[in-house]
Amino acid sequence: MKYIIYIFTFLFFAISVNAQDNIEFKKLENAVLAGGTLLRVEAFPSENIKLRPVDVWLPENYTADKKYAVLYMHDGQNLFDATTTWNKQEWMVDEWATKLMNSGEVKDFIVVGVHNIPQIRWQDLYPEKAMDFMPTKVRDSLITIAKESNFNVNFKGDEYLSFIVDELKPVIDKQFSVLTNKENTFVAGSSMGGLMSMYAVSEYPDVFGGAGCLSTHWPGAMPSPNNPHPVAIFDYMKKNLPEAGTHKLYFDYGNKTLDQYYPKYAPNVDDILKEKGYTDTDSKNLFFEGTNHSEHSWNQRLNQPFVFLLGK
């Protein structure tokens, strides 16, 4: 019986390895870029999350003769090419990365963009274990209300991170000329993607050396009076955010449109960072007056997290 189990385990491992070997990133010939090359897998294999496209952006003159840092980013379809996005806006990742690398302000890096699926984006990007920090009655009440409203409460935050760490990263590490240690592996996103980036560093501090969290959606769900989500998220951070010394944490926020709900949470973030021992050298929590919740606002200040996380 043990022999049979061994054979099945070996076959499963062999099939998994072969599946990873067969993953092919294809160049997007029609991508409108300021620099570099954009590659894509239309449906990246996963046993953790619903299949979706994954993009890899390579800088100009990318070569296997040197090693690159890696920045993993959420909402991959909004990062590079405004001609294909739903709102005709983009993060301008290729513009900023190209400019900053050419000027020598940052180390050489590639960007891996995981696309979202709009219908389940919230479930994928919510920091799942934060729910454990809610009083049981409050959590159960929220779930009951959500179900009565036919809202999907199948949280996938942990599975989403397992996808990035256990399924995606090994392929990136094998197929591209990259540095694989945490000091050269970063994660970034906005809104719910900001929450997930904080969560990624907290859950996998040995994998990610820093996080860029733009317009982080501290309300966790729809802003509302007596909202229990921020309290639970901050309590999770107090316990799980890495201690200072080996990580870099970047947060920012504006005060228009959805960002109008974020300034009141800034003192909570500052207090937690201080309690964990962070200073201005390894953390930021920046306010951008008059900026709203959009790619257009984020692309105006994207140099800030890029230089902070990847600066030489």
Side-chain angles (χ1 to χ4, degrees):
M1 183 64 181
K2 289 183 179 179
Y3 178 76
I4 294 175
I5 293 175
Y6 171 79
I7 292 296
F8 273 107
T9 302
F10 174 80
L11 289 174
F12 176 79
F13 176 77
I15 291 171
S16 298
V17 171
N18 288 334
Q20 286 187 347
D21 288 341
N22 292 329
I23 295 172
E24 182 182 0
F25 285 88
K26 296 181 179 180
K27 182 178 179 180
L28 295 182
E29 299 290 350
N30 297 323
V32 179
L33 302 171
T37 303
L38 193 61
L39 312 175
R40 177 173 296 168
V41 171
E42 289 292 346
F44 199 100
S46 176
E47 295 181 0
N48 285 290
I49 60 173
K50 188 172 182 179
L51 305 191
R52 74 220 32 221
V54 172
D55 293 344
V56 171
W57 178 82
L58 304 178
E60 296 173 350
N61 302 317
Y62 168 85
T63 174
D65 293 334
K66 63 181 178 181
K67 296 289 187 179
Y68 297 77
V70 185
L71 174 63
Y72 290 87
M73 297 188 71
H74 317 295
D75 302 319
Q77 64 264 53
N78 298 330
L79 302 178
F80 307 102
D81 185 358
T83 67
T84 61
T85 63
W86 69 274
N87 60 359
K88 302 307 178 185
Q89 297 183 29
E90 58 164 295
W91 281 66
M92 297 176 63
V93 167
D94 49 311
E95 282 87 348
W96 275 116
T98 300
K99 179 180 180 180
L100 294 171
M101 276 188 263
N102 286 342
S103 66
E105 294 177 71
V106 298
K107 63 181 75 175
D108 292 331
F109 68 101
I110 74 171
V111 179
V112 181
V114 180
H115 286 221
N116 72 57
I117 298 175
Q119 296 83 355
I120 56 172
R121 179 177 180 271
W122 186 84
Q123 290 82 356
D124 281 345
L125 298 182
Y126 188 91
E128 190 171 344
K129 289 187 176 67
M131 292 295 288
D132 296 336
F133 288 80
M134 280 188 193
T136 302
K137 289 184 178 180
V138 174
R139 183 178 66 244
D140 292 347
S141 176
L142 288 175
I143 292 175
T144 298
I145 293 172
K147 289 180 177 179
E148 290 174 349
S149 302
N150 294 318
F151 185 79
N152 180 0
V153 291
N154 185 20
F155 293 100
K156 286 287 186 177
D158 290 341
E159 289 83 355
Y160 179 84
L161 282 184
S162 292
F163 163 71
I164 292 177
V165 172
D166 299 324
E167 296 175 328
L168 176 57
K169 188 177 186 295
V171 174
I172 299 300
D173 291 350
K174 185 174 183 179
Q175 292 198 22
F176 298 94
S177 183
V178 297
L179 297 159
T180 61
N181 58 350
K182 76 171 183 181
E183 289 79 10
N184 289 284
T185 305
F186 305 92
V187 59
S190 64
S191 195
M192 292 299 297
L195 283 182
M196 180 48 63
S197 299
M198 173 279 295
Y199 194 54
V201 170
S202 300
E203 291 294 299
Y204 293 93
D206 295 332
V207 175
F208 300 105
C213 311
L214 288 73
S215 292
T216 308
H217 190 60
W218 300 118
M222 290 296 293
S224 61
N226 303 315
N227 184 355
H229 289 283
V231 176
I233 291 168
F234 290 136
D235 284 346
Y236 167 85
M237 290 174 65
K238 290 174 184 177
K239 182 175 181 180
N240 294 285
L241 201 67
E243 299 290 338
T246 57
H247 294 80
K248 289 185 176 181
L249 301 176
Y250 173 95
F251 299 97
D252 73 22
Y253 57 101
N255 60 350
K256 300 296 181 183
T257 63
L258 191 58
D259 271 41
Q260 70 181 287
Y261 298 101
Y262 302 160
K264 69 178 183 179
Y265 298 115
N268 299 83
V269 178
D270 291 335
D271 289 345
I272 293 171
L273 291 173
K274 185 177 180 180
E275 289 172 11
K276 291 287 184 177
Y278 286 88
T279 66
D280 289 343
T281 62
D282 54 7
S283 70
K284 301 290 182 185
N285 187 24
L286 305 179
F287 173 54
F288 292 90
E289 173 69 46
T291 59
N292 63 24
H293 199 83
S294 69
E295 287 79 10
H296 181 68
S297 287
W298 303 322
N299 70 34
Q300 296 298 303
R301 61 182 190 255
L302 190 57
N303 60 312
Q304 298 268 359
F306 275 10
V307 171
F308 181 69
L309 295 175
L310 292 144
K312 290 183 176 179

